[in-house]
């Protein structure tokens, strides 16, 4: 019980870091390739931590992100819930993929997410985005193995502290 | 196993429905905007934290700017002030003339506005939000619906007011409509956002209306949201499809919607304006004989 709560605390810290990264003002060049940090962190935590994370947690994280980034309320919540659902569904398989295959699955998840977002923004009357819109999932895939190693370290440190 | 899977799918469905309901309510403006405004106020410190590295970087850059660059910038700014002062002198004469003419026509007194300076908070928002955050909030007297301009034209209106910050909805939002007027012909119409920061659409211009590219659009003041007479955009292209009912007019916003930093909040013309008007009215008969 105690151990789980410690993990949750660590997750919250990592999530806050991911949200800050998302909001960081960027030079124009970097802007389109900035990965979906919150999604990457939640996917990692959902795959690797013992309890995983619940859909409700993903939903709440999405709402916080919606408020902070000024997007339509519920947009990121929907996107993250769908993503975490897919991860939970295929968790057994994803966990034992070699890193490159896992990175490809992450790419598939992120592209799927972009398609959902595209559908929502199209309903809002937004113009179809340029090809740059699809760069962020690629960047997410490229960063996945490194993020995985980093978060592994953070999470295992938390477990040792809890014990 | 199957039951477990089914429960998960059911939960997914519930959350999806909840998210869709939230989106629909936010879009329509039911309850959710108030909720997000409250949440935004609670989360305001996050923006301060995010801005910190950018501010530090800027401070370092200012510190390391060479003396010579500063001197040059100073000189060019001084020159600009002189040029603007010259223009302002003429403006004063024009203003008095305008006031006299209005008195002659017995028209209502023109309004004069005051402005308050604000800076954009440097955060990376969702590009689909068409929002910027400025560093003035309820404590500084900002209110919902207040017009925000930059040096060149209308930028948008305040949508959410927090304690020390406010969210500004840009005129490029596809949901945003702005009553405008062509300065050349006086034609009144409405400029809609398109989702692109470099394009506004004017879908309600009649086919035979006299509109040319290069025409200036200013706010018409209808709708009581935006003060009248502020520049908005320049007509860029006019396409007349003989089969259609309306001309397809597109305009380019004059304000730097995607790269500005300093903005001005327009204060409503209050009683101070009327006080200024009264001595002028009494002065008028004096000059007459």
């Amino acid at each position: 019980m105690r151990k789980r709560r410690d993990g949750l605390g660590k997750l919250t810290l990592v999530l806050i870091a991911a949200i800050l990264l998302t909001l960081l003002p960027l030079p124009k060049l970097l802007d389109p390739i900035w990965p979906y940090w919150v999604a990457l962190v939640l996917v990692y935590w959902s795959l690797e931590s013992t309890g995983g994370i619940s859909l409700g947690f993903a939903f709440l994280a999405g709402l916080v992100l919606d408020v902070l980034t000024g997007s339509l309320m519920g947009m990121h919540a929907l996107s993250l819930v769908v993503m975490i659902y897919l991860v939970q569904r295929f968790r057994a398989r994803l966990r034992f993929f070699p890193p490159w295959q896992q990175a490809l699955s992450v790419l598939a998840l992120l592209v799927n997410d972009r398609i959902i977002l595209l559908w929502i923004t199209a309903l809002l009357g937004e113009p179809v985005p340029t090809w740059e819109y699809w760069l962020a999932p690629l960047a997410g895939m490229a960063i996945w193995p490194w993020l995985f190693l980093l978060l592994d370290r953070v999470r295992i440190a938390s477990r040792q502290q809890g014990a | 196993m199957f039951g477990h899977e089914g429960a998960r799918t059911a939960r997914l469905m519930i959350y999806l429905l909840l998210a869709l309901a939230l989106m629909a309510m936010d879009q329509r403006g039911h309850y959710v905007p108030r909720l997000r405004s409250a949440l935004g106020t609670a989360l305001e410190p996050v923006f301060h934290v995010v801005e910190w590295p950018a501010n530090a970087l800027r401070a370092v850059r200012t510190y390391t700017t060479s003396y010579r660059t500063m001197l040059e910038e100073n000189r060019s700014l001084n020159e600009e002030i002189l040029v603007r002062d010259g223009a302002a002198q003429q403006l004063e004469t024009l203003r008095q003339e305008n006031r006299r003419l209005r008195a002659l026509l017995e028209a209502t007194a023109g309004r004069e506005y005051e402005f308050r300076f604000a800076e954009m908070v440097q955060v990376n928002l969702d590009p689909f939000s068409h929002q910027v955050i400025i560093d003035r909030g309820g404590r500084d007297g900002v209110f919902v619906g207040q017009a925000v301009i930059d040096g060149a034209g209308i930028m948008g209106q305040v949508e959410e007011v927090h304690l020390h910050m406010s969210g500004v909805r840009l005129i490029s939002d596809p949901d945003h409509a702005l009553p405008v007027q062509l300065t050349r012909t006086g034609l009144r119409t409405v400029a809609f956002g398109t989702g692109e920061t470099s394009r506004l659409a004017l879908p309600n211009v009649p086919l035979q209306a006299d509109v040319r590219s290069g025409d200036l659009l200013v706010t018409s003041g209808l709708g009581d949201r935006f003060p009248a007479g502020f520049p908005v955009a320049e007509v860029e292209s006019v396409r007349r499809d003989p089969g259609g009912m309306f001309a397809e007019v597109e305009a380019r916003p004059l304000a730097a919607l995607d790269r500005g930093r300093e903005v001005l909040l327009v204060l409503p013309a209050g009683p101070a304006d009327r006080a200024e008007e009264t001595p002028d009215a009494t002065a008028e008969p004096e000059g007459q004989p």
Side-chain angles (χ1 to χ4, degrees):
Chain A
M1 193 66 204
R2 168 101 203 213
K3 205 184 276 178
R4 255 192 97 168
R5 218 176 47 216
D6 277 355
L8 204 65
K10 264 284 178 355
L11 171 60
T12 313
L13 281 183
V14 173
L15 254 187
I16 289 173
I19 287 173
L20 291 182
L21 270 178
T22 311
L23 288 170
L24 209 65
L26 295 173
K28 267 264 176 297
L29 208 70
L30 222 58
D31 207 25
I33 60 164
W34 206 233
Y36 192 175
W37 293 106
V38 175
L40 290 177
V41 164
L42 286 183
V43 166
Y44 168 84
W45 222 269
S46 178
L47 275 180
E48 294 301 312
S49 74
T50 31
I53 52 173
S54 64
L55 290 181
F57 189 86
F59 188 82
L60 281 181
L63 283 189
V64 170
L65 200 57
D66 281 328
V67 170
L68 284 174
T69 60
S71 47
L72 194 65
M73 198 75 164
M75 199 163 97
H76 284 104
L78 181 122
S79 128
L80 289 174
V81 164
V82 170
M83 197 173 291
I84 295 308
Y85 172 80
L86 289 174
V87 171
Q88 284 179 354
R89 188 88 169 67
F90 300 106
R91 186 162 184 255
R93 248 170 285 175
L94 285 170
R95 264 170 77 92
F96 296 104
F97 273 162
W100 65 271
Q101 225 168 331
Q102 208 173 50
L104 277 181
S105 325
V106 167
L107 175 69
L109 283 172
L110 290 172
V111 167
N112 174 55
D113 175 66
R114 285 261 140 171
I115 294 171
I116 295 174
L117 282 187
L118 191 66
W119 173 68
I120 296 171
T121 53
L123 282 180
L124 293 177
E126 299 280 350
V128 180
T130 52
W131 57 272
E132 282 177 341
Y133 183 73
W134 304 99
L135 284 180
L138 286 172
M141 177 185 74
I143 210 134
W144 172 255
W146 315 108
L147 191 75
F148 189 94
L149 291 178
L150 178 77
L151 289 177
D152 244 3
R153 217 167 253 196
V154 171
R155 194 176 54 86
I156 285 163
S158 96
R159 188 184 294 164
Q160 277 161 357
Q161 258 171 22
Chain B
M1 190 68 200
F2 183 78
H4 182 69
E5 206 56 54
R8 187 186 289 155
T9 315
R11 250 178 303 150
L12 172 74
M13 288 303 153
I14 289 169
Y15 282 121
L16 286 189
L17 278 179
L18 201 58
L20 286 174
L22 272 176
M23 281 193 274
M25 280 164 81
D26 195 9
Q27 173 76 352
R28 297 273 162 91
H30 293 316
Y31 310 109
V32 177
R34 233 176 302 156
L35 175 77
R36 76 179 298 151
S37 174
L39 281 173
T41 306
L43 293 171
E44 204 184 79
V46 178
F47 292 121
H48 290 287
V49 176
V50 175
E51 229 202 351
W52 189 77
N55 278 347
L57 210 70
R58 192 148 14 98
V60 169
R61 203 180 297 153
T62 319
Y63 193 70
T64 52
T65 313
S66 74
Y67 178 68
R68 215 219 297 237
T69 331
M70 289 284 231
L71 212 64
E72 235 159 67
E73 194 179 300
N74 205 341
R75 187 181 303 141
S76 75
L77 284 176
N78 269 329
E79 273 171 25
E80 197 177 328
I81 287 178
L82 201 68
V83 170
R84 292 202 175 211
D85 271 352
Q89 280 173 26
Q90 215 188 353
L91 202 70
E92 189 47 44
T93 348
L94 285 175
R95 200 155 68 174
Q96 278 176 11
E97 188 177 306
N98 189 10
R99 212 175 279 163
R100 269 203 310 279
L101 289 172
R102 272 180 188 277
L104 279 178
L105 288 169
E106 294 181 350
T108 52
R111 290 186 174 180
E112 283 164 26
Y113 296 95
E114 277 188 66
F115 306 97
R116 188 163 293 158
F117 180 80
E119 261 186 281
M120 282 190 202
V121 176
Q122 300 292 303
V123 289
N124 196 21
L125 297 184
D126 182 0
F128 295 115
S129 73
H130 302 287
Q131 243 190 30
V132 292
I133 293 174
I134 58 173
D135 65 347
R136 296 290 152 98
R139 286 273 170 88
D140 310 289
V142 177
F143 55 90
V144 173
Q146 191 167 18
V148 179
I149 65 172
D150 76 353
I154 294 273
M155 289 194 72
Q157 56 179 302
V158 174
E159 195 180 59
E160 281 172 27
V161 179
H162 308 319
L163 238 48
H164 304 286
M165 293 181 182
S166 326
V168 176
R169 173 81 45 184
L170 298 175
I171 55 174
S172 58
D173 189 294
D175 267 348
H176 196 277
L178 177 64
V180 293
Q181 186 169 24
L182 258 80
T183 46
R184 192 169 55 81
T185 60
L187 175 79
R188 288 204 184 89
T189 181
V190 180
F192 290 89
T194 59
E196 287 171 47
T197 48
S198 59
R199 207 160 57 86
L200 295 180
L202 281 69
N204 302 327
V205 176
L207 256 190
Q208 67 277 17
D210 178 16
V211 183
R212 287 180 224 148
S213 76
D215 281 355
L216 180 70
L217 294 167
V218 298
T219 46
S220 68
L222 293 177
D224 276 342
R225 261 291 155 92
F226 288 93
F230 283 93
V232 175
E234 200 183 77
V235 174
E236 206 165 45
S237 70
V238 183
R239 233 163 20 114
R240 292 189 170 83
D241 176 15
M245 294 264 286
F246 298 101
E248 281 175 46
V249 183
E250 285 181 356
R252 187 177 43 80
L254 295 168
L257 296 182
D258 52 348
R259 59 192 184 282
R261 174 151 182 84
E262 290 89 8
V263 299
L264 294 172
L265 286 156
V266 182
L267 297 181
D273 186 40
R274 233 174 286 143
E276 201 187 343
E277 193 60 36
T278 5
D280 192 62
T282 51
E284 195 60 41
E286 236 171 68
Q288 210 81 355

